[in-house]
Amino acid sequence: MSDPIDTSDFARYLRQRADLGLDEIFLEGLTRDEVLKVVAEARRSAASAAARVTASDSAGEMDADFVAAAASESSSRVLSQSERPGSRNPGYEATPSGQDKPGTEEISAPEVDLTVLNYHELESVAGSCEACQLAQGRTQVVFSDGNPQARLMVVGEAPGANEDRTGVPFVGQAGKFLDLLLAAVDLSRKDSVYICNVLKCRPPGNRDPMSDEIERCSPFLKRQIALVAPEVILAVGTFAAQLLTGANRPLGKLRGSVYAYEGVPLVVTYHPAALLRNAGWTRSTWDDLQLLRQVMDGS
Ligand code: URA
């Protein structure tokens, strides 16, 4: 690694690995002195961090794809950029392939006309929604987290057990990993990200969302997007990606392009929970995050 090391980024990376309970990290390509510098910084800035760093001098085991990925350029393509009148964003046309329709079609909404509600009304109507069977098993509706003024909206799949208990999306292990991924491109839910899900209630046993549940719940998401008016959307996981692109293709085939959801640029990537199970998707996810950053930076 020839570039100067940004020790604060490494410190944050190590803290987040520790938060995730991942207590062993191999730093390939760093000299012993460089590793010691990184570790010293991590210790200074997070005295309580539990990370144990196993360093090898220059070669060695590689378990930190992010370290390597950080040095690489994104190979993804940005497609279909044009100006959208009256928009804060550059406009994006229909899906890149032109084969699938963007996910903007009307779908059956709950009884209330959500399109006339303001943000607080929408949240309140969602809070007492009984439009599908998930209402019976939920502890509470999980509407959103983060900053409603944020430029970026992240859309996940559905609450899990931790989210159902706390009422906050992405607070479990996948959520911590999502925070790590966002931090890697300088984004945080505290200031710069708004987070929500396709489904606002937990499917029992964390099973996949069913199509009628998505149909009944997605009008909430549609109105949420209209009200939050993000400049960019990041869909994580197959369900969010397919719903918002309108394309019924596997995520591996969807990722790598910029779509448009009602004129808002949309990037899709793997769900952090899937990524935790399959480290082989790390490089692709890193590329997707670089693409997201490019779209946000207007480059
Ligand atoms: N997975 C999701 O897709 N959303 C959450 O809120 C939590 C886990």
Side-chain angles (χ1 to χ4, degrees):
M1 192 176 271
S2 54
D3 292 339
I5 301 169
D6 185 337
T7 49
S8 60
D9 276 358
F10 267 108
R12 189 173 59 191
Y13 170 74
L14 294 175
R15 273 202 309 280
Q16 284 161 329
R17 297 279 296 186
D19 282 348
L20 287 165
L22 304 172
D23 63 356
E24 206 167 81
I25 298 164
F26 295 88
L27 299 175
E28 184 187 53
L30 300 188
T31 65
R32 184 179 162 73
D33 284 345
E34 285 169 337
V35 169
L36 290 176
K37 191 170 161 210
V38 166
V39 173
E41 177 62 28
R43 288 223 172 95
R44 248 198 311 281
S45 67
S48 61
R52 179 165 63 85
V53 177
T54 306
S56 59
D57 273 354
S58 52
E61 301 89 327
M62 179 65 186
D63 190 34
D65 278 358
F66 280 101
V67 176
S72 82
E73 292 286 329
S74 166
S75 57
S76 303
R77 296 170 300 137
V78 179
L79 298 169
S80 314
Q81 297 191 37
S82 64
E83 282 305 306
R84 183 161 62 99
S87 168
R88 286 183 293 168
N89 308 314
Y92 290 80
E93 308 295 354
T95 52
S97 69
Q99 293 161 358
D100 301 290
K101 212 154 61 70
T104 56
E105 68 274 17
E106 285 305 323
I107 31 192
S108 58
E111 313 228 317
V112 182
D113 177 8
L114 303 183
T115 63
V116 300
L117 302 184
N118 68 29
Y119 186 88
H120 293 293
E121 290 165 343
L122 185 74
E123 184 167 10
S124 154
V125 171
S128 57
C129 178
E130 306 224 321
C132 81
Q133 62 207 345
L134 297 182
Q136 267 70 64
R138 74 177 178 228
T139 306
Q140 57 193 311
V141 169
V142 179
F143 192 70
S144 74
D145 192 26
N147 177 3
Q149 260 80 50
R151 294 178 62 212
L152 175 67
M153 177 186 261
V154 175
V155 181
E157 181 179 309
N162 291 305
E163 292 77 20
D164 179 66
R165 185 171 43 77
T166 59
V168 182
F170 281 106
V171 290
Q173 211 195 16
K176 286 182 177 168
F177 195 36
L178 176 64
D179 288 343
L180 165 68
L181 295 171
L182 293 171
V185 284
D186 226 14
L187 294 163
S188 82
R189 74 166 87 187
K190 192 166 144 280
D191 331 291
S192 45
V193 184
Y194 176 91
I195 301 183
C196 62
N197 285 306
V198 170
L199 296 187
K200 310 297 186 222
C201 299
R202 183 191 181 205
N206 297 345
R207 66 155 166 76
D208 284 349
M210 299 196 335
S211 52
D212 67 309
E213 294 161 356
I214 295 175
E215 240 182 63
R216 283 158 201 265
C217 206
S218 55
F220 285 106
L221 176 62
K222 189 177 161 80
R223 182 68 182 151
Q224 212 168 1
I225 294 172
L227 289 165
V228 170
E231 286 180 47
V232 184
I233 301 172
L234 175 69
V236 297
T238 306
F239 288 93
Q242 291 188 345
L243 178 71
L244 296 179
T245 61
N248 193 21
R249 280 178 282 158
L251 191 63
K253 296 250 186 306
L254 285 175
R255 57 159 298 278
S257 297
V258 181
Y259 300 81
Y261 178 86
E262 306 244 327
V264 182
L266 165 68
V267 175
V268 309
T269 194
Y270 292 103
H271 193 286
L275 192 55
L276 280 170
R277 286 192 301 269
N278 189 342
W281 291 333
T282 305
R283 172 61 61 128
S284 300
T285 304
W286 178 258
D287 288 344
D288 297 338
L289 292 170
Q290 294 304 305
L291 179 59
L292 172 70
R293 195 65 256 182
Q294 281 173 24
V295 174
M296 294 196 68
D297 293 345
S299 52

